[in-house]
Amino acid sequence: QVQLVESGGGLVQAGGSLRLSCAASGRTFSNYVMAWFRQPPGKEREFVAVITWAGSSTGYEDSVKGRFTISRDNAKNTLYLEMNSLKPEETAVYYCAADRAADGRWYRRDPRLFESWGQGTQVTISS
């Protein structure tokens, strides 16, 4: 499995921006579909965004479309999530996840379908 380490979380005011990073190691990064999930306090983990192996296609949860951008740099083995116009209800631990998606189905929203996870980074948005 690939090892994942998130960074970039912190405290920001509503309407602000943050950029999360996820550094991968141990396996060939470009062999993995990558995604971001988040887990608000007391709630289940939820899908945020997903990106294909080469970064040619992306998918987003409806509530973040137009505000969040997922991207990857395969040369740097790094996944990113640019978050703008943040809302207090988006306070959560943000996780990156990886899966080889050997069946070719890259657009996956179910966290059970991802084989590797980072430890998470806390994002807190104050009102």
Side-chain angles (χ1 to χ4, degrees):
Q1 291 185 343
V2 63
Q3 286 76 51
L4 304 172
V5 178
E6 301 94 336
S7 61
L11 174 64
V12 64
Q13 289 188 332
S17 300
L18 277 176
R19 188 193 196 201
L20 305 182
S21 298
C22 171
S25 63
R27 291 290 187 268
T28 303
F29 182 60
S30 58
N31 286 348
Y32 290 83
V33 167
M34 299 296 298
W36 288 98
F37 290 80
R38 62 189 178 191
Q39 188 163 15
K43 297 185 178 181
E44 293 187 350
R45 197 166 297 190
E46 59 187 34
F47 168 78
V48 175
V50 63
I51 190 167
T52 54
W53 303 264
S56 55
S57 296
T58 57
Y60 297 92
E61 169 62 33
D62 284 347
S63 66
V64 308
K65 286 180 181 177
R67 299 187 298 117
F68 288 16
T69 302
I70 186 171
S71 62
R72 65 192 297 164
D73 186 337
N74 285 347
K76 295 183 177 180
N77 294 336
T78 305
L79 175 74
Y80 303 99
L81 184 67
E82 185 76 35
M83 304 185 294
N84 299 310
S85 302
L86 284 161
K87 306 174 182 179
E89 56 266 33
E90 294 178 314
T91 292
V93 178
Y94 283 70
Y95 298 90
C96 63
D99 194 84
R100 283 165 289 183
D103 59 5
R105 298 178 180 178
W106 66 271
Y107 189 79
R108 43 191 65 200
R109 302 167 58 100
D110 188 341
R112 295 171 296 180
L113 298 178
F114 286 83
E115 63 183 75
S116 298
W117 291 85
Q119 83 290 348
T121 186
Q122 177 70 46
V123 173
T124 303
I125 300 103
S126 62
S127 57

